[in-house]
Amino acid sequence: RPEGRRTSAGLCARALRDPAPIVRDAAVFALVRADDPGTFPALLDAASDPDARVRRNVAWALGRVGDRAEGTLDKLSDALCD
């Protein structure tokens, strides 16, 4: 169900702004599973998350995304260097 998948991805993208790092971390993995190109901007923004664990998992997620979104490699590099 593509519509349901988009709705779930949207909820997960909003969860990336949750105050709890564990929620943001879980949202990263859920977005990767959703495999929705519309969520790439949210993942790119999350590469600067204040929590190191979240940034590490965002870097992993962006690596899975590959080069399907412009700026992915730059954000991935920045996340890994922080």
Side-chain angles (χ1 to χ4, degrees), residues 4 9 17 38 40 42 55 59 62 67 73 80-81:
R17 296 186 303 270
F40 298 157
R55 287 192 311 272
L62 291 173
D67 61 353
L73 293 178
L80 289 172
C81 292

Side-chain angles (χ1 to χ4, degrees), residues 8-17 24 27-28 31-32 36-49 54 58-59 61-62 65 69-70 72 75:
S8 297
L11 291 172
C12 291
R14 284 194 299 277
L16 288 173
R17 296 186 303 270
R24 296 191 308 270
V28 170
L31 286 172
V32 169
D36 179 354
T39 64
F40 298 157
L43 281 171
L44 290 172
D45 289 343
S48 59
D49 191 276
V54 174
V58 167
L62 291 173
V65 166
E70 188 174 324
T72 299
K75 288 284 188 172

